[in-house]
Amino acid sequence: MIATGGTIAMATDPGSGLRRPILSGAQLAARISGLDVPLAHSQPYAIASEDATFEHWLTLAREVEQLAPGHAGVVVMHGTDTMEEAAFFLSECLPRHPVAFCGAMQPPGTVGYDGGRNLLDAISVARSPLAPGLGTVVVMNHEVLPAWDVIKRDSVALDSFSTRHGTRIGTVHDRQLRLLSRPLQFNWLNAIPAAAPSADAVAYVRLTGSPGRRQFRAAVGGADGVVIEALGAGSVPAAVKADVIAVSALVPVVLTTRTGSGPVQAEDSYPHAWDDLLAAGVTLEKRLDGPRARIRLTLSLALDRAYAPFEPYI
Ligand code: ASP
């Protein structure tokens, strides 16, 4: 059990008197009655997950790499705000280890505290005989969701976690994991970079209608790579298209969509609309959302590899 902070771990800090995400895994597990599973604990850091950096996620990956071989499974307690990114970062680096992330939408001590049951469910998933094929998953509100697709879709709801494309690996009730689908395997990067990448390495731009050219140029200037969340099926407004093509002559540019789901490129409705972008070397990312494409491009650059679109293999 790796505790990293987040709402699930909130308690009053005896030193400062302030509420902070400091509870350890042992303290959290002690609150679950009848938990008779042998657990090993670590707490590499204790933060609100909005403060997480590539440095933290790299530390987490190294911790999992070290702990996983000696244990049936690994549970990571994490803040919910960046849980999907931490889980994806980890699955890119270490796709083969079973890791169950969990957190809480409500803090300990409140009527709606959901951390205890999420933690119990995550432990049940991590030690399930089915866990070895799962890779990294998020276990929230009795659902088991894949790291590559899970999103926090509501800022406060207990059932906030779902997936962009409707993928659901299973449910967990009464300490039993019930598989509903076979987890997909992908062309994961399957490597941990030697050092934490810079958070500024990749520029991340979300396009809107009537985008500002000056803003676009300022956002991509100086970056080693660019991820663009385009409109609809990957449409790039004419106002910035020449700038997208110009920057793609200098650094890798990955295009995804700002829509909640679905791939980029709609060959049927706008034939050849992407030809100039493709000719300029822009990569179309058909599965990942912008934040995940940013992580994949950042890690690819750190590992000295070209960006490969995220694809399943059968
Ligand atoms: N801001 C908190 C965090 O991500 C929210 C949570 O854990 O639910 O750490």
Side-chain angles (χ1 to χ4, degrees):
M1 285 178 65
I2 304 177
T4 68
T7 292
I8 190 170
M10 288 296 271
T12 303
D13 180 0
S16 63
L18 298 173
R19 299 272 295 166
R20 293 189 47 234
I22 50 177
L23 291 177
S24 67
Q27 287 169 309
L28 286 162
R31 298 171 178 206
I32 302 176
S33 63
L35 185 64
D36 52 358
V37 182
L39 299 166
H41 297 282
S42 85
Q43 191 176 31
Y45 47 88
I47 58 169
S49 80
E50 57 268 34
D51 295 330
T53 63
F54 288 134
E55 190 93 44
H56 289 106
W57 296 335
L58 190 69
T59 300
L60 186 59
R62 290 192 178 131
E63 191 82 351
V64 170
E65 186 184 39
Q66 203 205 317
L67 293 175
H71 297 89
V74 177
V75 170
V76 176
M77 288 152 287
H78 201 278
T80 61
D81 286 347
T82 60
M83 188 186 288
E84 64 217 55
E85 289 164 83
F88 182 71
F89 185 101
L90 198 68
S91 62
E92 280 280 35
C93 295
L94 297 167
R96 314 256 167 257
H97 295 306
V99 180
F101 274 71
C102 68
M105 295 300 296
Q106 296 283 323
T110 61
V111 180
Y113 181 56
D114 52 334
R117 70 178 157 96
N118 289 338
L119 178 54
L120 184 60
D121 286 350
I123 293 170
S124 303
V125 169
R127 69 194 297 264
S128 159
L130 302 169
L134 295 182
T136 305
V137 293
V138 164
V139 182
M140 291 289 285
N141 198 40
H142 303 303
E143 300 209 294
V144 184
L145 307 167
W148 71 272
D149 205 26
V150 61
I151 44 159
K152 181 177 183 178
R153 60 157 192 93
D154 189 283
S155 55
V156 291
L158 292 183
D159 66 347
S160 169
F161 280 80
S162 69
T163 57
R164 286 179 80 224
H165 296 94
T167 50
R168 198 161 70 133
I169 292 176
T171 57
V172 47
H173 292 282
D174 300 330
R175 304 188 185 198
Q176 290 292 318
L177 166 64
R178 290 179 181 81
L179 284 186
L180 297 173
S181 65
R182 188 193 293 248
L184 291 170
Q185 302 301 320
F186 289 90
N187 56 343
W188 306 100
L189 297 174
N190 199 10
I192 302 179
S198 161
D200 287 316
V202 171
Y204 169 51
V205 186
R206 183 168 223 242
L207 292 180
T208 58
S210 190
R213 268 192 98 172
R214 195 156 40 84
Q215 280 179 27
F216 181 85
R217 287 182 190 165
V220 302
D224 299 326
V226 178
V227 168
I228 299 173
E229 274 192 11
L231 290 84
S235 318
V236 173
V240 292
K241 204 170 212 183
D243 297 304
V244 172
I245 289 170
V247 71
S248 72
L250 305 173
V251 296
V253 174
V254 176
L255 196 74
T256 179
T257 170
R258 71 173 194 175
T259 57
S261 70
V264 295
Q265 199 172 32
E267 288 93 345
D268 293 346
S269 39
Y270 288 85
H272 306 296
W274 287 261
D275 284 1
D276 47 359
L277 295 172
L278 293 173
V282 170
T283 302
L284 303 186
E285 173 49 67
K286 301 192 179 193
R287 298 230 171 210
L288 301 178
D289 59 8
R292 269 174 268 237
R294 171 178 176 254
I295 289 172
R296 189 167 172 90
L297 181 54
T298 302
L299 285 172
S300 301
L301 291 168
L303 294 166
D304 214 7
R305 298 191 200 166
Y307 186 95
F310 191 68
E311 296 287 359
Y313 61 87
I314 310 294

